Amino acid sequence: NQVLEMFDHAYSNYMEHAYPADELMPLTCRGRVRGQEPSRGDVDDALGKFSLTLIDTLDTLVVLNKTKEFEEAVKKVIKDVNLDNDIVVSVFETNIRVLGGLLGGHSVAIMLKEKGEYMQWYNGELLHMAKELGYKLLPAFNTTSGLPYPRVNLKFGVRHPEARTGTETDTCTACAGTLILEFAALSRFTGTSIFEEYARKALDFIWEKRQRSSNLVGVTINIHTGDWVRKDSGVGAGIDSYYEYLLKAYVLLGDDSFLERFNTHYDAIMRYISQPPLLLDVHIHKPMLNARTWMDSLLAFFPGLQVLKGDIRPAIETHEMLYQVIKKHNFLPEAFTTDFRVHWAQHPLRPEFAESTYFLYKATGDPYYLEVGKTLIENLNKYARVPCGFAAMKDVRTGSHEDRMDSFFLAEMFKYLYLLFADKEDMIFDIEDYIFTTEAHLLPLWLSTTNQTISKKNTTTEYTELDDSNFDWTCPNTQILFPNDPMFAQSIREPLKNVVDKSCPRGMSRAEESLGSGPKPPLRARDFMASNPEHLEILKKMGVSLIHLKDGRVQLVQHAVQAASSLDAEDGLRFMQEMIELSSQQQKEQQLPPRAVQIVSHPFFGRVVLTAGPAQFGMDLSKHKAGTRGFVATIKPYNGCSEITNPEAVKEKIALMQRGQCMFAEKARNIQKAGAIGGIVIDDNEGSSSDTAPLFQMAGDGKNTDDITIPMLFLFNKEGNIILDAIREYEAVEVLLSDKAKDRATIFKGKMIPNYIIDSNLEMENMDQKSSENDSHKPNSEEAPSESQDAGAVGEEPEGGESSAVGDPDPLPPASADSAGISTAHEDPHGPESTEAVAPEPACAPGDSQPQEQSTQPESSSKAHWDTKVQPMESILADWNEDIEAFEMMEKDEL
């Protein structure tokens, strides 16, 4: 019932505030129309002005037994949706969301029609639309390889002069390999074979281009030459659904070649990528070498796929690890490190973890997974629910929101959560008669025997039979693989229950090292002075050169071959490592985490949270857990650079002011003098947003700022306008300034809460108890931000205050880290004076007792490197060229 209520809240708000737009913007209660909102880059390629969310939600309505709403929705789609728009869309997203949504809607429509009560008027209209869309996607396949272009114009195709696309050369493996289910279903439904033929050709090409020694595929591939552009391989973003569709194509179509390919890839995944409970990307040519030290959230689907394959133990292990991450951060961050700190803090309400939870429960019958589902529901209601739907999390550490509710939230999340808790009698049809696409759309299994226009011949070449009894071709017998015994899964989970909370083993510090018998470099990083000639001479002896850059920065670079001896080269390496550690530590000391502005008045009641930049002066909100709460008031003059002329309006309130024309500290002193209890500075750059800009910190004015005692926060223009719009509409707007978002039980503790904002799982009589529980868990939840402040994790803008020498790695990629640098930089006059540092923080891999150190050689050969001076650097770099390429690509990597 809770899932149904949550779905109704999201769906009704989309229909009321957004339809016929593609998606709902839940913070501003309006539809997202492409071209009318600031571009979000590739994310917007899913939007095609075809009422995306409604089409994506069609079969979810039937799964949730909302047949009347489904019938109305189908009529709206038939009547209102236009697929002939002059707009460039993603072939991948349009296929899985729109084509898949139309086919899923058609599948359940004909099922309902056969039952005789609903949809009696239906005559295949959704299928006709699906076929029309299929033909509009076909021009993308006009390549010599058969791999589709990543984008297509719905009206003009690819090559047409007005298409504005067709110049791309690369596509991701999942983008080209996640077509077979929808395209084959379209061919089987309509009897038109061309769709299945094109999808099969693309899959055949990817299979032929796999790396033959490792049997792995890369992330991106050139659609014309078939060369791998990105040579790292994993089971997350860019590859994920390629593997999924190989196995599911076998299930749906019955073609043995798809299972053979999947088994071959799966063997490689478990051999190289799976490092239980982690799944880490590797290089396809050197699969024993990890390509990164973090994981992305899209790999959360993989335990569900392993259940479908019948490999239950690693599925339980990885799922449990992911659940521990969720319990630490409330949601699964878009990316997290091997020691479970936040790497990318966003969470767009992805459903992959809920999907795996559903499959594991179906496989084991373990009620533990029902408790996992309840946790997901509670977190969605507590942290993501807003008056107009559910908002994506902008930062899981602060609880701030992003103005987006993607269509997959309605298409997948509620489907899997409902099925997790539903009994057989709750369903109006047998879900086992269908297979889920990657977007959770339903395709009937009887398609395998319908319109088989493609001859089922084995196109898999060079397939090697694998000596593994787990690769049986029959569907797994659940009674044998995992008896309905909860203790089976619990015994696997038990060793992993504290895996996230265990701290990363700490390596020996340099101070401790110097006290022992270990080698001590002649110059310590903390003692180094760039103006000391003696120090410069020591650096030269160690092979370290000092470079003065044009912008005034100083960079240190080490080349081991230029050192006086191998021992001096070792000293130089230690010095550079010390310098990187020292600069990373200095940066951390200066960094401040993001803060939160939470709107607590009617009708928001704490549900809208905005990411705010901190100030390096005034009240430290991290030391005042209650935060500062008050009504907001706009000051005069709005820039706050002179004495406030409306002090009566500002007294005992939180002052709103505009950035610019004077120092931030001056603004703070003026509003404090007028009696304000806090201040919010709103960016004067029109359209700026924390969605696209790094976190901004307000610096002091170079003087003593101890006289400023009120809290000051910074909001970008878009977030600031949300508060200004609220003032225009509701006049009295109350906000809470805090170090991180508070749940509503904490906000309203001791106060009456209007009944209509109380969650269905929160009763008035246990309000204080709930608050106490939250308080008792607070230390656990609040350690996340502090533990995740690794260099670059927050993406903060360089800070103000005094600048100091900090580590800055050499432009060479990490694979050839025989060099490193140190630099200081000053920002332009518009922003605060700042310090810049991008030195990497060592990350611990499971089982490591010391931080991993950058090296140009594998550990086993490091000594040989120093002893063999005759080996030139060029030969080392040539030997590692492939890995360097991959690391350079990783630096630009985005999900």
Side-chain angles (χ1 to χ4, degrees):
N1 288 337
Q2 245 184 310
V3 175
L4 289 173
E5 186 277 329
M6 292 166 67
F7 173 82
D8 288 340
H9 177 66
Y11 180 70
S12 61
N13 272 290
Y14 165 74
M15 295 304 295
E16 180 182 348
H17 298 294
Y19 182 81
D22 284 317
E23 289 179 346
L24 169 68
M25 298 173 69
L27 297 184
T28 50
C29 300
R30 56 198 172 98
R32 183 182 296 280
V33 179
R34 194 167 169 187
Q36 296 181 13
E37 302 293 333
S39 172
R40 302 177 297 169
D42 292 348
V43 177
D44 284 338
D45 287 344
L47 312 181
K49 298 183 179 178
F50 35 36
S51 301
L52 173 64
T53 297
L54 183 61
I55 292 177
D56 219 1
T57 309
L58 288 177
D59 53 6
T60 303
L61 290 165
V62 178
V63 171
L64 272 57
N65 203 5
K66 296 181 176 292
T67 46
K68 290 182 180 178
E69 290 90 337
F70 171 73
E71 194 156 0
E72 294 170 4
V74 171
K75 290 177 179 177
K76 284 182 180 293
V77 169
I78 295 170
K79 175 176 173 288
D80 298 340
V81 172
N82 175 27
L83 298 173
D84 194 38
N85 299 313
D86 178 13
I87 193 167
V88 176
V89 296
S90 161
V91 173
F92 168 76
E93 296 290 356
T94 305
N95 171 65
I96 65 171
R97 300 202 207 188
V98 186
L99 184 59
L102 292 170
L103 292 171
H106 173 71
S107 300
V108 293
I110 57 177
M111 177 271 296
L112 291 174
K113 186 175 182 179
E114 286 175 5
K115 288 182 177 291
E117 185 177 354
Y118 294 98
M119 303 298 293
Q120 296 306 299
W121 54 270
Y122 182 70
N123 196 29
E125 289 85 353
L126 293 179
L127 182 60
H128 299 322
M129 295 180 68
K131 189 174 182 181
E132 177 192 353
L133 181 59
Y135 278 119
K136 289 184 175 296
L137 295 179
L138 286 186
F141 292 82
N142 187 20
T143 61
T144 54
S145 66
L147 298 178
Y149 282 96
R151 298 173 186 83
V152 67
N153 188 300
L154 290 177
K155 190 177 186 69
F156 298 110
V158 173
R159 301 275 182 161
H160 193 279
E162 298 180 62
R164 304 187 306 284
T165 188
T167 58
E168 304 94 337
T169 58
D170 307 334
T171 192
C172 71
T173 301
C175 300
T178 311
L179 300 159
I180 187 65
L181 292 189
E182 292 83 0
F183 272 48
L186 183 57
S187 286
R188 303 297 175 95
F189 272 131
T190 63
T192 306
S193 63
I194 189 172
F195 304 109
E196 185 172 345
E197 290 171 0
Y198 274 53
R200 280 177 177 264
K201 184 180 178 183
L203 274 182
D204 290 345
F205 190 83
I206 295 174
W207 170 253
E208 291 299 324
K209 290 297 179 180
R210 75 192 185 282
Q211 212 293 319
R212 299 303 175 99
S213 61
S214 66
N215 282 319
L216 294 171
V217 293
V219 175
T220 55
I221 188 171
N222 186 295
I223 60 177
H224 303 297
T225 66
D227 295 332
W228 291 109
V229 179
R230 272 189 48 190
K231 301 181 179 72
D232 45 321
S233 182
V235 295
I239 304 180
D240 49 3
S241 49
Y242 163 68
Y243 295 133
E244 177 186 3
Y245 269 39
L246 283 178
L247 181 57
K248 289 183 175 180
Y250 166 68
V251 175
L252 181 65
L253 306 177
D255 189 332
D256 293 343
S257 68
F258 292 128
L259 182 63
E260 291 170 354
R261 297 178 191 184
F262 174 78
N263 283 344
T264 303
H265 285 314
Y266 188 78
D267 176 68
I269 291 168
M270 300 310 290
R271 190 184 304 271
Y272 304 119
I273 296 171
S274 177
Q275 302 174 35
L278 310 179
L279 291 163
L280 290 176
D281 285 18
V282 299
H283 298 287
I284 59 175
H285 296 288
K286 295 183 179 179
M288 302 305 293
L289 181 66
N290 286 340
R292 58 169 65 128
T293 57
W294 49 270
M295 296 164 280
D296 66 73
S297 63
L298 287 173
L299 61 76
F301 91 101
F302 196 67
L305 187 65
Q306 290 179 305
V307 170
L308 190 63
K309 190 248 179 296
D311 199 4
I312 192 72
R313 177 177 289 274
I316 293 172
E317 290 173 341
T318 299
H319 180 276
E320 181 62 20
M321 176 270 293
L322 295 169
Y323 184 44
Q324 299 301 326
V325 175
I326 288 175
K327 289 203 289 188
K328 188 179 186 69
H329 300 297
N330 298 321
F331 297 98
L332 200 59
E334 277 290 73
F336 53 94
T337 61
T338 52
D339 52 350
F340 310 110
R341 289 177 293 182
V342 173
H343 185 69
W344 293 333
Q346 310 96 317
H347 173 73
L349 308 182
R350 293 199 185 278
E352 285 78 14
F353 181 77
E355 173 186 357
S356 289
T357 304
Y358 163 68
F359 278 111
L360 273 168
Y361 178 66
K362 295 291 288 184
T364 64
D366 188 343
Y368 175 83
Y369 295 108
L370 296 179
E371 294 303 315
V372 173
K374 289 178 183 176
T375 300
L376 298 181
I377 290 172
E378 289 170 2
N379 288 349
L380 285 171
N381 272 324
K382 183 183 286 188
Y383 302 110
R385 188 168 180 142
V386 294
C388 288
F390 291 85
M393 306 306 296
K394 183 170 190 45
D395 193 319
V396 297
R397 297 163 299 189
T398 64
S400 58
H401 291 136
E402 195 172 352
D403 200 3
R404 63 185 284 195
M405 187 180 81
D406 292 82
S407 69
F408 53 68
F409 183 61
L410 285 165
E412 300 184 69
M413 180 68 83
F414 293 115
K415 197 174 288 172
Y416 288 125
L417 288 177
Y418 182 82
L419 290 171
L420 175 64
F421 293 101
D423 296 322
K424 201 163 188 178
E425 53 269 22
D426 296 326
M427 303 291 297
I428 60 174
F429 65 99
D430 189 354
I431 198 71
E432 305 296 340
D433 291 337
Y434 297 82
I435 192 168
F436 292 110
T437 69
T438 194
E439 191 78 2
H441 293 307
L442 302 177
L443 298 177
L445 294 175
W446 52 256
L447 286 174
S448 60
T449 58
T450 302
N451 289 328
Q452 295 186 39
T453 53
I454 306 291
S455 59
K456 279 175 51 179
K457 62 180 179 181
N458 190 335
T459 57
T460 299
T461 57
E462 300 181 28
Y463 171 70
T464 304
E465 189 68 35
L466 299 166
D467 183 21
D468 190 332
S469 59
N470 199 25
F471 294 147
D472 294 333
W473 283 22
T474 55
C475 295
N477 182 333
T478 58
Q479 294 306 310
I480 297 173
L481 265 180
F482 22 84
N484 227 6
D485 176 14
M487 294 306 293
F488 172 75
Q490 184 179 336
S491 65
I492 299 173
R493 288 194 305 266
E494 191 65 26
L496 301 170
K497 67 179 183 179
N498 296 319
V499 67
V500 172
D501 290 329
K502 288 179 180 176
S503 60
C504 182
R506 184 176 66 90
M508 183 184 294
S509 71
R510 295 299 171 191
E512 293 167 338
E513 192 178 89
S514 65
L515 294 175
S517 57
K520 182 179 177 182
L523 178 63
R524 309 305 297 262
R526 62 173 178 265
D527 301 327
F528 171 69
M529 295 181 64
S531 58
N532 188 322
E534 186 180 343
H535 288 182
L536 297 179
E537 191 61 34
I538 295 173
L539 290 187
K540 185 178 180 180
K541 187 179 179 184
M542 295 190 298
V544 179
S545 55
L546 186 143
I547 303 171
H548 293 274
L549 302 178
K550 291 181 180 179
D551 58 6
R553 292 183 299 162
V554 175
Q555 189 173 42
L556 296 176
V557 181
Q558 191 215 16
H559 296 289
V561 294
Q562 296 177 4
S565 69
S566 60
L567 291 177
D568 289 320
E570 286 188 42
D571 287 339
L573 179 63
R574 291 193 188 94
F575 174 81
M576 298 302 289
Q577 290 169 343
E578 277 191 7
M579 187 62 75
I580 291 176
E581 290 170 11
L582 178 65
S583 58
S584 176
Q585 180 183 353
Q586 288 174 343
Q587 184 196 32
K588 282 184 193 176
E589 289 172 355
Q590 293 171 0
Q591 279 183 340
L592 292 174
R595 307 299 190 205
V597 175
Q598 197 165 3
I599 307 179
V600 298
S601 55
H602 171 82
F604 307 98
F605 297 107
R607 289 194 177 105
V608 173
V609 184
L610 307 172
T611 298
Q616 296 174 350
F617 53 85
M619 179 192 292
D620 185 354
L621 290 170
S622 65
K623 297 177 182 177
H624 295 77
K625 296 302 180 185
T628 296
R629 177 172 174 168
F631 287 92
V632 295
T634 304
I635 63 171
K636 296 178 183 178
Y638 190 31
N639 58 34
C641 292
S642 57
E643 186 175 347
I644 308 304
T645 59
N646 60 335
E648 68 288 342
V650 176
K651 190 174 182 180
E652 298 301 322
K653 293 183 180 176
I654 295 173
L656 297 178
M657 70 211 78
Q658 189 177 45
R659 177 187 182 184
Q661 299 184 33
C662 64
M663 303 296 285
F664 294 120
E666 186 178 345
K667 298 175 190 286
R669 290 188 179 98
N670 288 333
I671 63 169
Q672 180 174 284
K673 184 179 178 181
I677 60 173
I680 298 175
V681 179
I682 298 175
D683 193 9
D684 57 345
N685 293 318
E686 191 68 31
S688 66
S689 167
S690 57
D691 292 343
T692 53
L695 188 72
F696 186 82
Q697 288 194 101
M698 294 187 289
D701 54 5
K703 306 172 184 175
N704 190 323
T705 54
D706 291 345
D707 58 315
I708 303 174
T709 58
I710 60 174
M712 295 288 290
L713 295 181
F714 178 88
L715 289 178
F716 283 105
N717 188 265
K718 181 181 175 183
E719 285 78 13
N721 282 337
I722 290 176
I723 293 182
L724 296 176
D725 290 344
I727 293 175
R728 282 190 281 270
E729 188 164 352
Y730 304 107
E731 293 187 3
V733 174
E734 189 178 15
V735 301
L736 173 66
L737 312 183
S738 58
D739 64 328
K740 62 183 295 184
K742 305 290 189 278
D743 60 62
R744 294 195 300 282
T746 302
I747 294 172
F748 293 99
K749 187 173 182 180
K751 301 183 181 182
M752 281 296 293
I753 306 178
N755 289 330
Y756 54 85
I757 71 159
I758 298 176
D759 291 338
S760 53
N761 64 334
L762 186 65
E763 298 297 330
M764 286 295 290
E765 57 264 27
N766 67 0
M767 194 63 172
D768 289 332
Q769 180 185 350
K770 185 79 175 179
S771 300
S772 301
E773 291 173 2
N774 286 335
D775 290 342
S776 69
H777 288 86
K778 191 176 292 185
N780 213 23
S781 63
E782 287 179 358
E783 66 188 16
S786 64
E787 290 182 9
S788 60
Q789 299 305 316
D790 52 317
V794 184
E796 294 181 0
E797 185 160 312
E799 314 170 352
E802 58 186 32
S803 57
S804 60
V806 296
D808 189 13
D810 190 69
L812 281 174
S816 60
D818 59 353
S819 60
I822 173 169
S823 63
T824 54
H826 297 277
E827 286 295 321
D828 59 70
H830 186 70
E833 185 177 328
S834 66
T835 301
E836 172 181 277
V838 289
E841 181 180 339
C844 285
D848 287 348
S849 61
Q850 293 195 18
Q852 297 172 353
E853 296 183 351
Q854 295 178 326
S855 172
T856 58
Q857 298 263 344
E859 201 171 312
S860 60
S861 63
S862 60
K863 189 175 188 301
H865 171 70
W866 300 115
D867 292 340
T868 315
K869 280 187 64 177
V870 295
Q871 185 182 18
M873 182 61 66
E874 288 74 14
S875 67
I876 297 174
L877 291 179
D879 182 48
W880 287 84
N881 188 49
E882 253 177 16
D883 301 336
I884 292 170
E885 249 180 48
F887 276 117
E888 283 176 336
M889 191 62 65
M890 277 192 303
E891 287 179 355
K892 302 173 184 176
D893 180 32
E894 285 188 0
L895 206 60

